[in-house]
Amino acid sequence: MLVVKGSGSSGKSTTLKLAFESYLQYLVRLNDGVPVEYLYLTKREVAAVIKLGKLRVGLATRGDSQNQVKLGLSFFAAHKCRLVVCATRSRGKPLKVAQDFSLQKLKVQAEEWKKPKDVGSKNQQVANHAFAKEVAGWLQSASRGNA
């Protein structure tokens, strides 16, 4: 499990949406398509389960509140996801919900990556794309050989 944490407006949701799109493109190139089930999908937000053979991969971008995190993680638990990426605030109840899910449901210690907040829209956009590339790489590596 990968938890992308950061302060409000640090680009967590945008970054994870970019990573999701990149990861899907990677899977389509490898598999000529993959089934995806969405909990929600908007211009900026996504919560989805990607089905790779027996492996289920969950990714959720909403993480500013405890309820948002619970909603996405409950969706992943219902779909028996073994690989999960989610966004949360840097501390407090949203982060605690994600940490509890990783230990109780997945039986793993979550990796926690901090999303720095960059000043200025151009810097933020560049930082979001760079961080999304790292997250997509993590997903590719973690799912390789597990499908």
Side-chain angles (χ1 to χ4, degrees), residues 11 13 20 24 27 33 58 73 76-77 102 127 138 140:
S13 293
F20 172 76
L24 274 184
L27 293 174
L73 296 178
F76 303 151
S102 73
W138 184 91
Q140 290 171 20

Side-chain angles (χ1 to χ4, degrees), residues 69-129:
V69 175
K70 274 186 183 178
L71 180 65
L73 296 178
S74 296
F75 183 66
F76 303 151
H79 284 84
K80 297 180 173 55
C81 291
R82 299 300 304 154
L83 183 59
V84 171
V85 176
C86 70
T88 76
R89 292 286 182 142
S90 296
R91 60 181 162 248
K93 290 180 181 179
L95 179 58
K96 179 81 170 106
V97 167
Q99 291 167 334
D100 289 348
F101 180 85
S102 73
L103 294 172
Q104 295 169 8
K105 296 286 186 186
L106 296 180
K107 311 284 191 237
V108 297
Q109 181 72 41
E111 285 188 48
E112 296 179 9
W113 292 3
K114 178 128 172 78
K115 173 64 177 83
K117 185 174 181 177
D118 292 290
V119 179
S121 61
K122 185 175 181 182
N123 291 340
Q124 186 72 46
Q125 189 175 24
V126 169
N128 289 347
H129 280 277

Side-chain angles (χ1 to χ4, degrees), residues 1-142:
M1 180 170 177
L2 176 62
V3 177
V4 175
K5 60 185 185 176
S7 62
S9 300
S10 63
K12 301 179 301 291
S13 293
T14 302
T15 296
L16 288 185
K17 179 86 185 287
L18 292 167
F20 172 76
E21 291 166 356
S22 176
Y23 183 58
L24 274 184
Q25 290 171 2
Y26 162 79
L27 293 174
V28 167
R29 284 192 306 272
L30 284 183
N31 304 310
D32 199 27
V34 291
V36 179
E37 188 167 331
Y38 293 93
L39 175 62
Y40 54 82
L41 176 65
T42 68
K43 183 177 179 179
R44 227 184 94 219
E45 305 278 1
V46 64
V49 172
I50 303 165
K51 299 173 183 178
L52 303 171
K54 292 183 180 186
L55 178 67
R56 301 293 183 260
V57 179
L59 184 140
T61 60
R62 289 183 180 152
D64 285 339
S65 77
Q66 176 181 355
N67 289 339
Q68 289 173 340
V69 175
K70 274 186 183 178
L71 180 65
L73 296 178
S74 296
F75 183 66
F76 303 151
H79 284 84
K80 297 180 173 55
C81 291
R82 299 300 304 154
L83 183 59
V84 171
V85 176
C86 70
T88 76
R89 292 286 182 142
S90 296
R91 60 181 162 248
K93 290 180 181 179
L95 179 58
K96 179 81 170 106
V97 167
Q99 291 167 334
D100 289 348
F101 180 85
S102 73
L103 294 172
Q104 295 169 8
K105 296 286 186 186
L106 296 180
K107 311 284 191 237
V108 297
Q109 181 72 41
E111 285 188 48
E112 296 179 9
W113 292 3
K114 178 128 172 78
K115 173 64 177 83
K117 185 174 181 177
D118 292 290
V119 179
S121 61
K122 185 175 181 182
N123 291 340
Q124 186 72 46
Q125 189 175 24
V126 169
N128 289 347
H129 280 277
F131 202 70
K133 187 174 180 180
E134 290 180 44
V135 173
W138 184 91
L139 278 165
Q140 290 171 20
S141 177

